[in-house]
Amino acid sequence: MCRWFAYISPEEPCLLADVLINPANAISKQCSEHYLPKLLPHGEEHELDDSKDALLKMRNSLLNMDGLGVAFYTSAAESYVKGVEGTRPALYKSQSPPISDFNFRNLCSNTETNCLFAHIRATSGSVVTQVNSHPFVFGRHVFMHNGAISNFNDVRRDMTDLLSYDAYCNVLGSTDSEHAAALYMTNLTQGGKKDTWEKEYPVTEMFKALNKTIVQIMELQQKHLGDKKAPNSLNFCATDGKKMVATRFRNHASQQPPSLYWSEFAGRTLNQKFPGSPDGADVVNESASKADGEKIGKHTIIASEPTTYDDQEWHLIGANCALQVDEKGTETEVPLEYDSKFNAQDPNFPG
């Protein structure tokens, strides 16, 4: 499946290279290598091939080579464009593998931001093209997804009927994920026009819009497929540059959703200004300019996989839960609300 990484802080910017390229398990290397603490023990004696969980093996055996995307917030437009206040997302997408993309590497080495989305794609069936790569931008809002809407072609037409006109027009590709993004924006703005995409909304409203989006998808599947419906994997993430909400969801009675972790500490380990290294306690960071006792600003990282060696820095988000991060950087994990009648059986992995 896909992999994504998100960073947000009210006060501490990150260098893109520090979080996306330099670590041994940076997202740019997760095209083929994976680290899943609390889901899969890490070490030579506990490799992916040794797992008894067939679904876990299937998800993490795929190569994430079908597209790269990065959205980072910058205040540049505020200085030049009348009526723009605050930061807005700049977007970079590529079909090249991230580790060999010269432009991506150069951009990351020279860009800092307080809010960042990065995504590497493993297609679930739609065409491999830049426009289908995540993240997806709607004004000041950005959305990305790991997983799949099952039987998407069966619900796609009715799903577009739920979209506001402007949200529908902003869908440039063919993925289930971009349609989910447009449905989220329709719910967040209550069917508003494009100008409502420039507004900020409370983090609780962002959560409600994501939760509603998940329920609407399952309602359409129930309508069209009944008992033949299959479970979805809906690890969504949405931000406006100041707040963030992420979901870890699968509508199955026992199967785990795709991996999703968060950390309030790893940003210091990843930031080369501070002593320490993301790759091990014995690795010397010769670039450090800060003293051991200096503290880093409040920040939150949400990612498909931990990007530092110390798994104690990371929390696994609970199954069918969401993590909310408000404008002060306060993290709150809350359960997603849905009727268990929408749970589905997996035809590929029965039981």
Side-chain angles (χ1 to χ4, degrees):
M1 281 192 165
C2 307
R3 290 291 188 272
W4 55 254
F5 176 98
Y7 177 97
I8 191 165
S9 172
E11 55 192 15
E12 187 74 47
C14 68
L15 182 69
L16 268 60
D18 279 352
V19 296
L20 303 183
I21 293 179
N22 296 339
N25 198 48
I27 190 172
S28 57
K29 284 118 176 174
Q30 291 170 23
C31 292
S32 58
E33 301 295 329
H34 305 300
Y35 175 34
L36 305 170
K38 302 179 180 69
L39 290 175
L40 179 72
H42 195 53
E44 294 182 0
E45 72 283 5
H46 291 105
E47 296 297 337
L48 182 63
D49 289 341
D50 297 326
S51 174
K52 296 179 181 179
D53 189 330
L55 180 58
L56 183 72
K57 290 173 67 174
M58 183 278 291
R59 286 174 175 161
N60 297 289
S61 297
L62 301 175
L63 295 178
N64 303 307
M65 300 286 283
D66 297 325
L68 157 72
V70 178
F72 58 93
Y73 281 75
T74 169
S75 60
E78 183 180 34
S79 301
Y80 295 90
V81 182
K82 183 179 179 180
V84 173
E85 295 181 2
T87 59
R88 292 295 186 276
L91 187 63
Y92 176 84
K93 294 186 178 185
S94 172
Q95 288 177 241
S96 301
I99 202 65
S100 59
D101 186 327
F102 171 83
N103 293 323
F104 169 69
R105 297 179 66 85
N106 186 268
L107 175 73
C108 290
S109 296
N110 296 282
T111 304
E112 69 171 11
T113 185
N114 284 68
C115 185
L116 164 71
F117 272 14
H119 189 283
I120 53 174
R121 181 174 180 239
T123 180
S124 57
S126 54
V127 65
V128 176
T129 179
Q130 287 185 11
V131 75
N132 278 341
S133 294
H134 309 220
F136 305 105
V137 173
F138 292 75
R140 73 184 307 143
H141 299 268
V142 184
F143 182 101
M144 61 183 173
H145 172 209
N146 175 25
I149 297 175
S150 61
N151 307 108
F152 175 57
N153 286 335
D154 291 306
V155 301
R156 179 176 180 177
R157 184 167 183 175
D158 278 7
M159 196 169 168
T160 59
D161 287 341
L162 297 175
L163 305 180
S164 68
Y165 177 79
D166 284 350
Y168 173 81
C169 292
N170 202 63
V171 176
L172 305 178
S174 58
T175 65
D176 57 341
S177 304
E178 190 172 15
H179 284 76
L183 185 54
Y184 163 73
M185 286 304 301
T186 299
N187 292 331
L188 182 65
T189 64
Q190 299 183 26
K193 296 183 178 181
K194 197 171 183 179
D195 63 308
T196 62
W197 303 349
E198 300 301 330
K199 297 180 181 179
E200 295 182 36
Y201 300 87
V203 70
T204 52
E205 294 302 311
M206 294 168 65
F207 166 75
K208 289 178 182 178
L210 276 180
N211 201 150
K212 183 177 180 180
T213 299
I214 290 171
V215 171
Q216 287 173 313
I217 290 167
M218 294 188 295
E219 287 174 340
L220 292 177
Q221 291 166 333
Q222 183 67 38
K223 171 185 172 183
H224 286 277
L225 300 160
D227 292 340
K228 294 182 180 180
K229 64 184 182 295
N232 308 280
S233 292
L234 305 178
N235 284 18
F236 293 151
C237 195
T239 187
D240 62 1
K242 294 183 179 180
K243 302 172 292 294
M244 190 176 291
V245 181
T247 65
R248 180 172 180 248
F249 182 83
R250 185 166 177 82
N251 57 316
H252 189 281
S254 60
Q255 289 178 350
Q256 284 282 326
S259 58
L260 192 61
Y261 302 83
W262 72 276
S263 176
E264 69 272 58
F265 303 116
R268 190 181 195 278
T269 309
L270 291 164
N271 192 320
Q272 65 179 287
K273 294 189 295 184
F274 292 86
S277 167
D279 301 333
D282 56 345
V283 179
V284 178
N285 174 15
E286 297 181 353
S287 299
S289 58
K290 302 287 187 179
D292 281 333
E294 290 191 63
K295 294 182 178 181
I296 194 170
K298 176 66 178 169
H299 66 278
T300 307
I301 295 173
I302 312 174
S304 300
E305 297 186 24
T307 51
T308 66
Y309 75 95
D310 186 359
D311 61 20
Q312 298 302 308
E313 292 183 330
W314 298 86
H315 316 278
L316 179 67
I317 295 176
N320 297 345
C321 288
L323 185 74
Q324 302 177 11
V325 185
D326 68 17
E327 58 271 20
K328 295 180 180 179
T330 302
E331 304 97 352
T332 307
E333 185 172 315
V334 295
L336 289 157
E337 298 180 1
Y338 78 106
D339 194 320
S340 61
K341 72 179 182 182
F342 292 127
N343 281 341
Q345 292 297 314
D346 191 333
N348 297 312
F349 301 94

